[in-house]
Amino acid sequence: MPHDLCTPQAGDPLLERLLPLLREAGQRLLSRQPSRARHDASLMRQCVDDAGTSTLRQLGQALRAQWPDVPVFPAGLTPDRLPAVTGLYWLCDPLDGAIQYLAGLPMWTCNLTLMQGAEPLLALVHDACLDRSYHALRGQGAGCDGEAIRCSEAPPLALSTLGTSFPNVPPRPQAEVDDFLGHLARTVPAVLAQRWIGSATLSLALVACGRLDAYWECGRHLVDWLPGLLIAREAGATVSGLGTVPLGEPGSGLLAAPAALHRQLLGLWQPGAPR
């Protein structure tokens, strides 16, 4: 395998080669974004498919030109399961936050993750609407536009601002909706604010910057979480499932927060915990 991918290092030319590719992909998507919401299911699907497929094709070609032996996988095909690959491969999510994109809203990203088996080695997330790029290298910290970033210093629970993601795109299993509403009912009275920011990846990047104090989500969308998960973890956040189920297992959910706040939130959601 290519040496520069097997052992990526902070400050080496790898990020300088990858970030412009992702930024170009994001700008192409931005130029094609609808200016307002559409309400025709077939047109909505076609818009996302056309934009995502075109971006994936162009980004994939650029990656294969430089690293022809490293396969490229579109992340959105199987959000709950990684490809059966043990070596190096790319996970490319050309449009994370398709609902926002279709509505002419910001809060969507273009993401790229270098994986080795089930472990992310490098993550890049580009917020095209703000022209802001986040990145992380495993064991070497996280950054945004060339500056190192860190998560917040664990404010008191009552002064914390949290992000989450609501179940969407019907039909959604009722059990998943009930699980979300149960967590939300315990969270809202205990924190300063509970917000929906957009894609999980962007929300996790905002945790890494300290703009959000924590992010939580029900369900199991491991592939979608991976780039933001690495960025948040490398910025000092503790990342786990919502309870006793290990992260990535069915029903695990996701929580990313500074360590002390992470413990408080897990305690808040325990069965029998006082409301």
Side-chain angles (χ1 to χ4, degrees):
M1 286 295 178
H3 177 73
D4 61 339
L5 293 189
C6 291
T7 56
Q9 298 291 320
D12 71 15
L14 180 58
L15 287 175
E16 296 176 11
R17 294 159 68 182
L18 290 171
L19 283 169
L21 296 180
L22 203 62
R23 185 176 185 274
E24 290 169 12
Q27 292 305 306
R28 284 194 296 267
L29 284 165
L30 186 61
S31 70
R32 302 175 61 171
Q33 184 178 13
S35 60
R36 56 183 297 169
R38 301 179 179 185
H39 302 102
D40 182 298
S42 61
L43 290 178
M44 293 167 71
R45 189 177 301 108
Q46 182 179 353
C47 176
V48 170
D49 288 348
D50 290 348
T53 299
S54 173
T55 302
L56 179 62
R57 181 177 63 252
Q58 292 170 322
L59 187 54
Q61 288 173 347
L63 293 170
R64 284 187 287 268
Q66 297 190 53
W67 299 283
D69 297 328
V70 181
V72 179
F73 289 88
L77 292 181
T78 54
D80 62 341
R81 183 169 300 180
L82 290 168
V85 177
T86 57
L88 292 175
Y89 59 97
W90 300 104
L91 282 179
C92 178
D93 192 348
L95 181 52
D96 182 19
I99 301 298
Q100 297 84 262
Y101 184 82
L102 285 169
L105 293 169
M107 305 176 293
W108 53 269
T109 61
C110 188
N111 308 330
L112 182 66
T113 312
L114 177 64
M115 301 289 296
Q116 187 164 39
E119 294 297 323
L121 300 181
L122 176 152
L124 302 171
V125 171
H126 183 66
D127 178 352
C129 296
L130 293 180
D131 195 19
R132 182 174 290 160
S133 297
Y134 304 87
H135 68 270
L137 290 164
R138 188 176 68 180
Q140 299 178 59
C144 177
D145 292 337
E147 299 293 330
I149 55 177
R150 293 290 294 177
C151 67
S152 68
E153 294 296 329
L157 185 62
L159 295 179
S160 297
T161 299
L162 277 59
T164 191
S165 178
F166 299 94
N168 54 28
V169 188
R172 180 69 69 178
Q174 188 61 45
E176 190 171 326
V177 175
D178 292 343
D179 186 26
F180 169 78
L181 292 175
H183 281 83
L184 189 66
R186 289 183 176 273
T187 303
V188 170
V191 302
L192 176 65
Q194 175 67 75
R195 293 290 182 260
W196 173 85
I197 301 298
S199 76
T201 302
L202 180 58
S203 298
L204 287 163
L206 294 175
V207 171
C209 290
R211 295 188 175 99
L212 284 176
D213 296 308
Y215 176 78
W216 64 273
E217 183 177 344
C218 296
R220 180 177 183 259
H221 302 278
L222 180 62
V223 175
D224 292 341
W225 297 336
L226 279 169
L229 182 155
L230 181 63
I231 292 170
R233 183 176 284 155
E234 288 296 327
T238 299
V239 180
S240 75
L242 293 178
T244 58
V245 179
L247 180 65
E249 295 297 320
S252 71
L254 170 70
L255 171 62
L261 182 58
H262 186 276
R263 290 191 295 270
Q264 287 181 287
L265 288 168
L266 289 184
L268 180 69
W269 295 325
Q270 287 298 312
R275 289 180 179 267

